[in-house]
Amino acid sequence: MTTPSENTPSRMNSTQAWVSYLSKVELPVLANTLRQINELTDSRNSTVNELANVILNDAQLTSQVLRLSNTVFYNQTRTQVSTVSRAITLIGFDAVKSMAISSLIVDTLLKRNDRPHLLRCLARAIHAAVQARCLMPKRTEHALEEVFIGALLMNIGELAFWSCETDQATELEERLRLDEAPVEAQKAVLHTTFTEITRGLVEAWSLGPFIREVVAPGKANSMASSLVRNTVEMATVSEHGWSGPEMDKVLERLSADVGESPAAIRDQLKVNAQEATKVAVSLGIPQVTALLPGNQDSAAGHGAEAPVMDPALQLQILRDLTQTLAEKPDINEVCQLVIEGIHRAIGMQRVALLMSDRTGQDLIPRKVGGRGTEEWREHLIIHKDGTGPLGELLPHGTCAIYKPGKQAGGVPYDRWLGKVPALVGSLTAKGRLVGLFYADNAAAGYVPSEQQLAAFAHFIQNAQLCLTLLTTNH
């Protein structure tokens, strides 16, 4: 989570000031990498190696691209891909470029912040991008990826803005909470609009001629840019359901773009929305699935559906755990594997292992994983006697789903701890509480599923077994 940077001017009061601040102070690495990727085009002067090298410079980006390369959305042959250059050869230059851009955007912005406004914007951007790519009448691979990236970046100004902790972001958030008209609120607080900031960033970050065409004022001057604009609008309108006068108008316009009847497009949109959910999970942000259309009904009732777990990965990590325990129990290695299992195989966004401090009275972080957990290392403390703002997180029994009450207290360094549903599991030595695993999904409001709890308990049992083996051997 970022805090206002020391370089932050007190207030930005023009489009140019915002573009300069976002490009130079807040997001210079993102701006630079996007520029590098965009300058690579599938031409004779730009080899597979150049794109592979840009991706391989970033370990997180590499693993994201490989994960996406093995999803049906991109890889319909289902041939297993294990290197970036193989992905480019098999799936295509433009598709890998598109995966790299979407992974970069998601990762960079969410590492910085998890404001609800940012999550909602990301959900809309991913939804619109998937819809544009699926609706595009079959052209070349280049055209498909162009509309995907066009829709993903059409609101880059708004995404970039919400990823920064500025006083103006907090002020705008407050005005929008009071239902002020969005554009008026933007002008009052930012002295410009998100649309203007987007146009400025498209130029400053050299995002290419197609995106420039999409965000330009006036009528769209190609079918592809019209399709992108309409899918982006549809992504917002669909949050209120698939029918209604606003949706009918968007369907009419999409019908003109694609050459199919509005009724046929409506059916297609519903199917594509499910695809968008899978892409969001593959991008490592299952928490936005709750914001996508079709998932809101469950969200209204009891918190949205928990994300899909990865049983194959779960099995693999459990095998690794069994092997580690059989060879030479190492509590550090075992706990690292458990954290990875909870994070990647069960689909929990943020995970921590807390162990007893020197006094034996408190639990403090030993290992943390996931976006937005940096502050935990310094500040997270749970009193073993159950007092304090996070005392209620202590499980009754070994493992449990923590459900916050209406009056749940929070902590100043994290806006979700103690206030959102979580999985908690204890570690004991000779009958005494010595450790606690904690996992939540930050801003996503869903309650973890019983299957997630069962898998979580399974992982914790391995950590407990290792601890028991070590304490009985000493």
Side-chain angles (χ1 to χ4, degrees):
M1 207 74 50
T2 54
T3 49
S5 154
E6 288 169 23
N7 309 357
T8 313
S10 50
R11 307 279 292 180
M12 264 66 68
N13 56 10
S14 69
T15 306
Q16 197 41 56
W18 278 108
V19 169
S20 172
Y21 172 69
L22 293 169
S23 307
K24 293 176 182 161
V25 179
E26 292 280 1
L27 299 163
V29 179
L30 175 65
N32 195 31
T33 315
L34 280 179
R35 197 178 287 123
Q36 273 180 295
I37 293 176
N38 269 304
E39 281 165 2
L40 297 175
T41 49
D42 195 1
S43 64
R44 290 196 187 100
N45 347 336
S46 182
T47 64
V48 166
N49 290 346
E50 283 181 80
L51 177 59
N53 287 339
V54 174
I55 295 169
L56 291 167
N57 274 336
D58 181 331
Q60 173 75 5
L61 184 56
T62 305
S63 69
Q64 285 282 47
V65 164
L66 290 175
R67 191 195 306 182
L68 286 168
S69 299
N70 288 300
T71 61
V72 180
F73 183 68
Y74 281 107
N75 179 352
Q76 302 197 324
T77 65
R78 304 202 178 202
T79 312
Q80 196 63 25
V81 175
S82 51
T83 67
V84 173
S85 45
R86 174 88 178 112
I88 298 171
T89 314
L90 183 76
I91 298 165
F93 185 95
D94 286 295
V96 173
K97 183 171 156 180
S98 144
M99 289 178 218
I101 290 174
S102 32
S103 302
L104 256 179
I105 295 285
V106 165
D107 261 25
T108 310
L109 301 183
L110 274 188
K111 251 190 209 121
R112 304 166 53 76
N113 214 313
D114 56 2
R115 276 180 192 276
H117 280 290
L118 177 61
L119 288 170
R120 185 165 291 288
C121 286
L122 274 172
R124 285 173 183 166
I126 291 164
H127 183 205
V130 169
Q131 292 282 9
R133 190 178 186 271
C134 293
L135 288 173
M136 182 77 175
K138 285 288 175 255
R139 299 282 201 286
T140 59
E141 178 216 340
H142 178 70
L144 292 177
E145 300 311 333
E146 194 169 59
V147 295
F148 181 91
I149 293 301
L152 186 79
L153 297 181
M154 187 173 158
N155 289 319
I156 187 67
E158 184 172 5
L159 284 165
F161 171 82
W162 287 124
S163 77
C164 305
E165 266 317 329
T166 59
D167 292 343
Q168 279 159 287
T170 308
E171 193 180 321
L172 183 60
E173 198 169 38
E174 189 53 34
R175 284 185 181 234
L176 294 175
R177 202 173 60 76
L178 300 170
D179 278 340
E180 195 171 322
V183 174
E184 274 58 52
Q186 288 162 36
K187 286 177 180 168
V189 178
L190 316 184
H191 305 283
T192 180
T193 62
F194 289 147
T195 305
E196 291 300 327
I197 295 173
T198 292
R199 286 177 188 146
L201 291 180
V202 166
E203 292 301 328
W205 296 4
S206 312
L207 296 182
F210 180 68
I211 297 179
R212 195 177 302 134
E213 181 187 319
V214 167
V215 302
K219 266 176 72 93
N221 55 4
S222 72
M223 184 281 287
S225 59
S226 173
L227 175 68
V228 166
R229 289 179 183 189
N230 290 326
T231 47
V232 168
E233 187 181 342
M234 182 281 309
T236 303
V237 173
S238 66
E239 288 167 10
H240 306 293
W242 296 111
S243 49
E246 276 193 271
M247 181 54 89
D248 291 345
K249 283 181 201 158
V250 180
L251 286 171
E252 286 293 340
R253 292 201 293 276
L254 284 169
S255 165
D257 291 331
V258 179
E260 287 184 36
S261 72
I265 288 177
R266 197 190 316 261
D267 292 341
Q268 217 180 322
L269 291 177
K270 291 178 189 175
V271 175
N272 300 345
Q274 293 312 306
E275 199 58 59
T277 300
K278 291 180 195 156
V279 171
V281 172
S282 305
L283 279 165
I285 42 170
Q287 70 269 48
V288 308
T289 57
L291 305 170
L292 291 166
N295 301 334
Q296 275 121 328
D297 307 341
S298 56
H302 53 270
E305 294 300 311
V308 185
M309 296 197 298
D310 185 337
L313 183 60
Q314 202 176 314
L315 202 60
Q316 180 59 54
I317 293 175
L318 286 168
R319 279 199 196 112
D320 292 349
L321 278 164
T322 309
Q323 197 176 341
T324 307
L325 287 169
E327 286 168 3
K328 183 178 138 211
D330 175 333
I331 192 73
N332 267 323
E333 196 177 329
V334 166
C335 287
Q336 192 54 52
L337 279 167
V338 169
I339 287 227
E340 205 164 310
I342 296 167
H343 183 46
R344 290 174 53 220
I346 303 180
M348 300 303 287
Q349 283 298 297
R350 313 192 301 170
V351 190
L353 163 63
L354 296 100
M355 299 293 281
S356 292
D357 69 350
R358 290 204 178 102
T359 67
Q361 308 296 309
D362 295 330
L363 295 167
I364 57 171
R366 174 73 66 83
K367 292 179 183 295
V368 298
R371 294 189 181 102
T373 53
E374 296 77 18
E375 297 282 329
W376 294 6
R377 290 180 196 282
E378 297 292 312
H379 304 292
L380 178 51
I381 295 176
I382 298 177
H383 304 315
K384 286 189 188 177
D385 63 5
T387 59
L390 300 177
E392 294 204 351
L393 293 178
L394 293 173
H396 304 292
T398 328
C399 288
I401 296 175
Y402 164 75
K403 294 177 186 169
K406 287 270 184 280
Q407 302 305 312
V411 287
Y413 55 87
D414 186 286
R415 47 160 80 84
W416 314 117
L417 264 179
K419 293 184 172 180
V420 292
L423 291 170
V424 283
S426 55
L427 291 176
T428 56
K430 299 179 176 163
R432 290 197 325 278
L433 175 70
V434 293
L436 177 80
F437 279 96
Y438 169 89
D440 71 22
N441 276 300
Y446 51 74
V447 176
S449 64
E450 288 300 324
Q451 290 96 312
Q452 282 181 308
L453 177 62
F456 179 76
H458 206 148
F459 280 121
I460 307 288
Q461 276 166 4
N462 281 275
Q464 183 60 63
L465 182 59
C466 180
L467 198 57
T468 308
L469 285 169
L470 289 170
T471 45
T472 48
N473 291 344
H474 284 292

